[in-house]
Amino acid sequence: MCTSAAKNPDRQVLPTNVKPTHYDLSLQPDLDTFVFQGHVKINLDVNEDTKQITLNTRDIKIYSAVLSSESLKTESKQNATDISYDEKKDLAILTFKEPVPANTKAVLDITFEGELNDAMAGFYRSSYKDAEGNTKYLATTQFESTDARRAFPCWDEPSLKATFDVTLVVPSELVALSNMNVISENPYQSTGKFAVGKTEGKTEGKTEGKTEGKTEGKTESNSGSLKEVKYATTPLMSTYLVAFCVGPFEYIEAFTSGEHNGRPIRSRVYTLPGFSEQGRHALNVCVKALEYFAQIFGEPYPLPKVDMIAIPDFEAGAMENWGLITYRTVALLFDEKSSSIVYKKSTAYTVCHELAHQWFGNLVTMEWWEHLWLNEGFATWVGTLAVDKIFPEWDVWTSFVNEDMPRALNLDALRSSHPIEVAVNDPAEIHQIFDAISYYKGASVIRMLSSWLGVETFLAGVRRYVRRHKLGNASTNDLWVALSEEAKVDVSKFMALWTKHVGYPVLTVKKNDESIQVTQSRYLSTGDLKDDEDSTIWWAPLGVLTSGSKIEPYTLTEKSQNFDIPSDGLFKLNAGQTSVYRVNYPIETIRVLAEEVKKGPKGLLNNTADRVGLLADAGNLCVSGEQTTTAFLELAQAFVDEDSYFVWSQLSAHLSKILSVWYLQPEEIRDGLKILRRSLFAPLAHKLGWEFAESDDYLTSTLRVLALSNAGRSKDHNTVEEAKKRFAQFVEGNTDALHPNMRGPAYNIVLGSAENEDDEEKVWEQILKIYHDESLPTDQRLIALNSLGGAKSQHLIQRYLDMSLDEKEVRSQDSLYVFRSVSNNPEARELFWAFFTKNFEPLHSKFAKSLNLFASAIRSAVDGFVTFDRISEIEHFFADKDTKEYDRPLQQALEACRVNAKWVERDHQLVADWVKENLKNFA
């Protein structure tokens, strides 16, 4: 039973009079009419005398419902006397004449029909082009959070686990996949179990064989014949993890070593015909990660196979369906010859993240959606742990500090943030918490805890948790209990402060002779904390780094405490950046640390993560006003001899942010900031050059891309001219002129340095042609699409925005690239806002069933502005709209605008004076 409903009566949950234990589900999708027929038999435990059964459906038409029980007084079967729907709550209510007594078993038999929609939710259709260029369709699923109910009537709550027998009836020439392995595949003979002929004029149960394709890339058919594919019974699992895909797929396969699973696990990557070899990198990662996870979780992978499949239309990055993991094409496929190297790491990480879910999320599942972070935060941390194991040379934990922690800390510095554990009562709210808090703050606090306990102790606690709750459901507290038992400390006592309270602290340091006073308060990027918002006293491991790389394991447990430091006065808090807070040092200490930066490997900050952390704290504290923007600009100059990609990346992010927020300031000030950026990056760009050697490691390659990109965007003459030369050769057919890693930066540099509107339009059309080239890997096409948003011409920006409304030009899922690109372009913000307001209803309708995409559009349209007048205009625009489904991202975007408006209002004159005074030093 769903006991959680009793704990929280506000939750919208199903009645507990019956509980499903097994589904026998058959589906017959028609890829011509986009209708599917369904039949499901659901085994039920009857907990109370029952004559009415309520379950979840959405966009499903039920034709018949029959309840069978040996305990009925008259007939053993009875038809529903009434079938009604509550569309607002996604419910179907089935009423029967005779009650089934409590403490018995029953079977509910339902025939139904649904639509293969185009909303990337439920059982949906995804388009692709065949070898002749004709548009065709495949069928696939996306059920998390609450869309299994779009595919079949069910109890669509994570704690109502059941086993599943799935049967798919599909055209003989197509491949049909589900969670489990195929146990039989035979020509289909109609048995009448589907509701054929009850469809009010629609073509039902017919497949005319027009979906030409290849079964695993080998055979073609136009026979119209059908086959029935049956799959083995699943373990106990939640409905949101059920999956099926139907299309002309081909695959590559490999087997794990079996060292930790006790047997080799068959692993496959499925793609549309001709693309399977691009799955080789993902497959190689998969077979290593499956064994690694079996080792650290202490449980073998529980299914006989794992399939990973690339889907052309897909809202999220990937989905961890048990045994059948679905991905955006760009998140799974990587072309070793033609893809950009940044996608190699992102593909490896995404594969590891989804495979981690096979244990943490699928084998042990959150009890309710408020524990979503258990799934996503843990998978983010342990997915990174696995990538570090497989690719140690990538230094992914420093990458985590550089890229992932800031995502969490930037969002959590807003009043409109939310706790890691957030109450979710209405299913309509769930999608709003799939954000940087659940993923990256969740992962960051896990990293903090595991660092403090020791990773091995932490993983031993995780193994205890998995053993105790496998095939069941668990809450955050269940994890704390297991970790506490293993570590012999009360983990929940201090971790509840991090998961149940919004925000995180800034630690303000006051230096005395041989001690420091550390005082904590909640960090808000608005810089206007009120007393009643500062009630949380966080548990914060300080990890004080001192001379000789010694780390003092102090912990801050009170509002303010004193700690000893060495007599030389050298120290830095948060060694290795393992803890979740900002540090506000006195300016004198920052200057001392800047001198340590200049000493390189011989300095106190020889750990890359510590240098990244110093920049991250300074770059954010100037936003809130705890430090000044000029203090950050002064600190930036200490890194002129830096050699780490991650440090340069952090520096680039903050300089770009300042330029973005300062976009309405006088041109000479903006140009001065660009000259500062050029003085830092151009020498590095010239040193690294444009050529990639096979001996270059991953981090050298990414640093080259970053340096050239920043030098070019800062109008470094040599970089701009070389980019123009190479781009001209590239568009004439010399693909060697631009390495795949450098194509995006080159497009941006050349478009941004166009000499006039005609020149700009010529370059823009050339990049558009690259985007339209379907022979290129997906990542290369998306790089081109993203670059198009960098135009200055209002005419070109309008064309670009109009493309986002045209499915033939830009898939719905890829519109976010358009929106982010114009949001990052100061020349486009006004036009984008006008476009957004004019097309609000079409955009809302377009993304009504893909609300994460709509939330992304809102953030992109809103959060680039830096004036209070525009903020008022935006608030007025939304005042008469029902914002319930996207209120959280809207409020976060508006607050981000206020933060930037206050920042530039406070510091613009200070920065202007600093630029004028210091320009001669770096011009």
Side-chain angles (χ1 to χ4, degrees):
M1 293 177 63
C2 183
T3 55
S4 61
K7 297 178 190 174
N8 186 347
D10 294 327
R11 280 188 195 164
Q12 286 188 23
V13 293
L14 291 164
T16 57
N17 57 323
V18 297
K19 181 179 183 296
T21 59
H22 178 74
Y23 294 78
D24 187 347
L25 173 65
S26 298
L27 292 169
Q28 182 178 343
D30 189 319
L31 291 166
D32 292 325
T33 63
F34 308 136
V35 172
F36 63 87
Q37 300 300 313
H39 175 244
V40 64
K41 293 172 69 173
I42 309 170
N43 293 5
L44 302 171
D45 285 344
V46 182
N47 301 317
E48 304 167 15
D49 291 355
T50 293
K51 62 185 297 184
Q52 190 173 80
I53 293 176
T54 302
L55 71 171
N56 294 118
T57 63
R58 185 170 180 182
D59 301 331
I60 292 282
K61 174 70 174 176
I62 294 176
Y63 285 113
S64 67
V66 179
L67 187 63
S68 304
S69 172
E70 297 301 323
S71 303
L72 290 170
K73 294 179 180 177
T74 54
E75 299 290 328
S76 63
K77 295 183 178 182
Q78 54 174 330
N79 291 311
T81 57
D82 182 67
I83 301 173
S84 60
Y85 302 88
D86 182 337
E87 292 187 0
K88 286 188 177 180
K89 294 185 177 180
D90 291 351
L91 301 177
I93 301 100
L94 312 177
T95 304
F96 299 90
K97 183 176 181 182
E98 185 180 340
V100 179
N103 303 314
T104 62
K105 296 187 182 298
V107 177
L108 180 61
D109 189 314
I110 301 174
T111 57
F112 59 94
E113 172 189 294
E115 178 195 4
L116 286 174
N117 67 66
D118 60 356
M120 296 183 285
F123 196 14
Y124 72 92
R125 64 185 188 264
S126 175
S127 67
Y128 64 95
K129 290 192 176 169
D130 65 13
E132 287 75 45
N134 301 310
T135 298
K136 299 287 185 177
Y137 293 90
L138 57 86
T140 187
T141 54
Q142 172 58 40
F143 291 165
E144 191 178 28
S145 309
T146 56
D147 284 320
R149 63 193 66 179
R150 293 179 189 262
F152 58 99
C154 58
W155 279 256
D156 203 8
E157 295 172 9
S159 64
L160 294 175
K161 288 190 169 186
T163 53
F164 291 80
D165 283 327
V166 174
T167 301
L168 297 176
V169 176
V170 301
S172 300
E173 70 275 12
L174 298 184
V175 176
L177 304 170
S178 190
N179 305 82
M180 296 297 287
N181 53 301
V182 174
I183 56 173
S184 70
E185 186 171 312
N186 298 302
Y188 175 62
Q189 303 295 327
S190 178
T191 59
K193 64 182 174 183
F194 296 121
V196 179
K198 300 182 180 180
T199 58
E200 301 171 4
K202 293 182 181 176
T203 303
E204 292 301 315
K206 294 181 182 178
T207 303
E208 302 298 338
K210 292 178 182 175
T211 307
E212 296 178 0
K214 297 180 179 182
T215 303
E216 300 173 356
K218 293 177 182 176
T219 61
E220 291 192 9
S221 170
N222 196 31
S223 64
S225 62
L226 300 175
K227 62 183 177 183
E228 182 178 70
V229 186
K230 292 180 179 287
Y231 306 88
T233 305
T234 70
L236 277 170
M237 61 187 288
S238 303
T239 48
Y240 80 88
L241 296 167
V242 176
F244 11 91
C245 301
V246 180
F249 307 121
E250 64 182 34
Y251 69 86
I252 53 173
E253 89 175 3
F255 288 80
T256 71
S257 68
E259 179 184 358
H260 299 289
N261 279 295
R263 71 194 195 287
I265 305 298
R266 192 196 80 193
S267 309
R268 289 178 175 175
V269 172
Y270 281 88
T271 70
L272 288 167
F275 296 99
S276 58
E277 198 52 43
Q278 292 182 26
R280 184 66 61 186
H281 170 56
L283 186 62
N284 291 340
V285 172
C286 174
V287 294
K288 293 173 183 175
L290 280 172
E291 292 297 328
Y292 179 64
F293 288 140
Q295 177 187 8
I296 65 171
F297 291 137
E299 287 284 335
Y301 176 71
L303 304 189
K305 58 89 177 177
V306 62
D307 295 330
M308 305 190 295
I309 184 166
I311 302 297
D313 298 283
F314 198 81
E315 180 185 6
M319 176 61 208
E320 68 266 20
N321 315 300
W322 217 355
L324 178 56
I325 305 169
T326 45
Y327 294 80
R328 266 188 190 223
T329 302
V330 74
L332 183 65
L333 303 188
F334 177 82
D335 188 316
E336 291 286 352
K337 294 180 180 178
S338 303
S339 290
S340 174
I341 194 168
V342 294
Y343 289 90
K344 189 164 193 174
K345 189 185 88 170
S346 62
T347 296
Y349 165 72
T350 305
V351 167
C352 289
H353 180 106
E354 303 308 324
L355 290 174
H357 276 312
Q358 306 301 295
W359 285 263
F360 219 95
N362 299 7
L363 185 64
V364 182
T365 309
M366 64 203 161
E367 172 263 335
W368 182 251
W369 296 105
E370 70 191 42
H371 305 290
L372 173 73
W373 87 276
L374 265 184
N375 273 19
E376 300 302 347
F378 187 86
T380 301
W381 177 80
V382 83
T384 306
L385 191 71
V387 175
D388 189 48
K389 173 73 173 179
I390 299 168
F391 300 102
E393 69 276 14
W394 290 357
D395 193 10
V396 294
W397 284 118
T398 304
S399 176
F400 182 88
V401 170
N402 180 52
E403 296 173 19
D404 298 332
M405 279 182 74
R407 295 176 188 174
L409 297 184
N410 290 344
L411 179 54
D412 209 29
L414 301 177
R415 282 191 174 87
S416 48
S417 181
H418 62 83
I420 288 175
E421 287 185 77
V422 59
V424 178
N425 298 324
D426 185 344
E429 301 168 1
I430 297 168
H431 72 93
Q432 297 187 53
I433 60 169
F434 280 83
D435 63 7
I437 302 300
S438 297
Y439 283 75
Y440 301 112
K441 188 182 180 187
S444 296
V445 300
I446 286 172
R447 179 170 175 260
M448 177 170 64
L449 177 61
S450 65
S451 298
W452 188 75
L453 293 176
V455 172
E456 289 310 314
T457 299
F458 179 82
L459 288 174
V462 168
R463 286 191 285 274
R464 185 186 289 255
Y465 166 87
V466 170
R467 282 196 304 272
R468 184 174 292 166
H469 299 286
K470 65 181 178 181
L471 297 176
N473 297 82
S475 67
T476 298
N477 194 58
D478 292 322
L479 178 60
W480 299 156
V481 167
L483 289 169
S484 299
E485 291 171 356
E486 194 66 41
K488 307 295 191 290
V489 295
D490 185 358
V491 169
S492 63
K493 182 179 179 180
F494 46 83
M495 288 309 292
L497 295 167
W498 287 99
T499 62
K500 295 183 181 295
H501 295 258
V502 67
Y504 61 90
V506 54
L507 309 188
T508 299
V509 177
K510 182 179 178 183
K511 190 171 179 291
N512 303 312
D513 289 340
E514 291 191 8
S515 69
I516 53 173
Q517 181 186 46
V518 182
T519 304
Q520 63 167 292
S521 56
R522 182 182 171 189
Y523 177 68
L524 286 176
S525 51
T526 46
D528 57 355
L529 183 70
K530 299 178 177 66
D531 288 344
D532 61 357
E533 296 174 308
D534 195 24
S535 57
T536 303
I537 305 297
W538 280 277
W539 168 87
L542 294 185
V544 181
L545 176 67
T546 60
S547 298
S549 297
K550 185 180 178 184
I551 299 174
E552 297 288 352
Y554 299 141
T555 303
L556 182 68
T557 57
E558 299 173 17
K559 178 72 172 176
S560 185
Q561 289 172 258
N562 290 322
F563 301 94
D564 292 337
I565 57 170
S567 57
D568 66 5
L570 278 181
F571 72 97
K572 177 197 171 287
L573 270 60
N574 201 7
Q577 297 301 116
T578 56
S579 294
V580 185
Y581 49 75
R582 301 276 182 214
V583 183
N584 184 14
Y585 298 103
I587 188 66
E588 297 80 13
T589 301
I590 293 175
R591 287 173 178 152
V592 168
L593 292 172
E595 291 304 311
E596 291 300 306
V597 167
K598 294 176 184 177
K599 295 177 185 176
K602 295 180 180 178
L604 180 69
L605 306 185
N606 52 33
N607 181 325
T608 305
D610 286 317
R611 301 196 300 282
V612 170
L614 178 65
L615 276 171
D617 286 349
N620 283 279
L621 291 170
C622 71
V623 174
S624 56
E626 270 105 327
Q627 294 178 16
T628 64
T629 307
T630 53
F632 174 80
L633 296 173
E634 181 183 322
L635 175 63
Q637 295 174 87
F639 291 87
V640 66
D641 293 322
E642 179 60 53
D643 61 1
S644 167
Y645 161 76
F646 299 113
V647 178
W648 282 111
S649 172
Q650 189 69 206
L651 191 56
S652 169
H654 290 289
L655 290 173
S656 296
K657 176 71 172 177
I658 293 168
L659 276 161
S660 178
V661 174
W662 257 245
Y663 79 102
L664 295 177
Q665 295 304 301
E667 187 175 7
E668 65 268 23
I669 303 305
R670 288 181 284 124
D671 286 345
L673 291 169
K674 288 178 184 176
I675 292 169
L676 168 62
R677 183 169 66 178
R678 185 169 73 216
S679 74
L680 291 166
F681 283 94
L684 183 64
H686 300 162
K687 174 184 169 184
L688 293 170
W690 286 75
E691 297 301 329
F692 289 77
E694 287 193 18
S695 59
D696 285 349
D697 61 23
Y698 172 82
L699 292 174
T700 299
S701 296
T702 51
L703 180 57
R704 175 180 289 110
V705 173
L706 181 75
L708 286 165
S709 182
N710 275 275
R713 288 189 299 140
S714 302
K715 301 294 186 278
D716 174 60
H717 178 76
N718 290 350
T719 305
V720 170
E721 290 307 306
E722 187 68 17
K724 287 182 175 180
K725 183 183 82 173
R726 288 174 178 267
F727 178 77
Q729 293 172 357
F730 179 74
V731 296
E732 289 299 320
N734 179 9
T735 55
D736 292 336
L738 274 179
H739 190 279
N741 297 340
M742 279 308 306
R743 288 173 191 168
Y747 303 158
N748 293 329
I749 292 167
V750 175
L751 187 62
S753 58
E755 294 174 6
N756 52 55
E757 281 203 15
D758 289 343
D759 186 28
E760 182 182 44
E761 183 152 5
K762 177 185 174 184
V763 172
W764 198 87
E765 292 287 358
Q766 289 169 326
I767 299 171
L768 180 65
K769 186 178 178 182
I770 295 166
Y771 167 63
H772 284 151
D773 185 352
E774 296 187 3
S775 70
L776 292 172
T778 303
D779 72 282
Q780 289 294 314
R781 296 186 62 212
L782 292 176
I783 285 168
L785 176 65
N786 188 67
S787 298
L788 292 169
K792 296 185 183 72
S793 161
Q794 300 296 288
H795 160 66
L796 293 175
I797 293 167
Q798 187 64 56
R799 274 184 64 189
Y800 186 55
L801 289 167
D802 289 343
M803 283 169 60
S804 72
L805 294 176
D806 184 352
E807 276 287 329
K808 293 178 181 177
E809 278 285 357
V810 179
R811 291 181 185 268
S812 291
Q813 65 177 25
D814 295 334
S815 58
L816 61 89
Y817 292 96
V818 175
F819 301 149
R820 287 176 187 167
S821 184
V822 289
S823 177
N824 289 331
N825 178 1
E827 307 279 352
R829 287 174 187 158
E830 295 293 333
L831 193 56
F832 183 23
W833 175 244
F835 169 86
F836 180 82
T837 54
K838 178 182 177 182
N839 293 284
F840 180 82
E841 290 305 330
L843 285 166
H844 187 246
S845 298
K846 181 181 176 74
F847 299 120
K849 296 175 182 177
S850 305
L851 286 166
N852 284 332
L853 293 178
F854 191 61
S856 179
I858 289 171
R859 278 191 292 267
S860 297
V862 169
D863 69 7
F865 292 114
V866 297
T867 65
F868 293 106
D869 286 347
R870 178 49 57 88
I871 293 167
S872 297
E873 180 187 331
I874 294 167
E875 289 174 327
H876 179 74
F877 175 77
F878 283 104
D880 62 350
K881 294 174 175 57
D882 181 1
T883 63
K884 177 184 176 182
E885 292 177 325
Y886 52 84
D887 188 60
R888 196 183 297 275
L890 172 61
Q891 294 308 319
Q892 290 165 352
L894 282 166
E895 190 175 352
C897 289
R898 292 187 200 102
V899 166
N900 292 337
K902 286 184 178 181
W903 178 21
V904 75
E905 184 178 67
R906 182 181 62 247
D907 271 11
H908 74 277
Q909 191 58 51
L910 201 63
V911 169
D913 293 343
W914 187 90
V915 167
K916 291 170 185 174
E917 184 180 336
N918 289 275
L919 186 61
K920 61 182 180 297
N921 298 327
F922 47 79

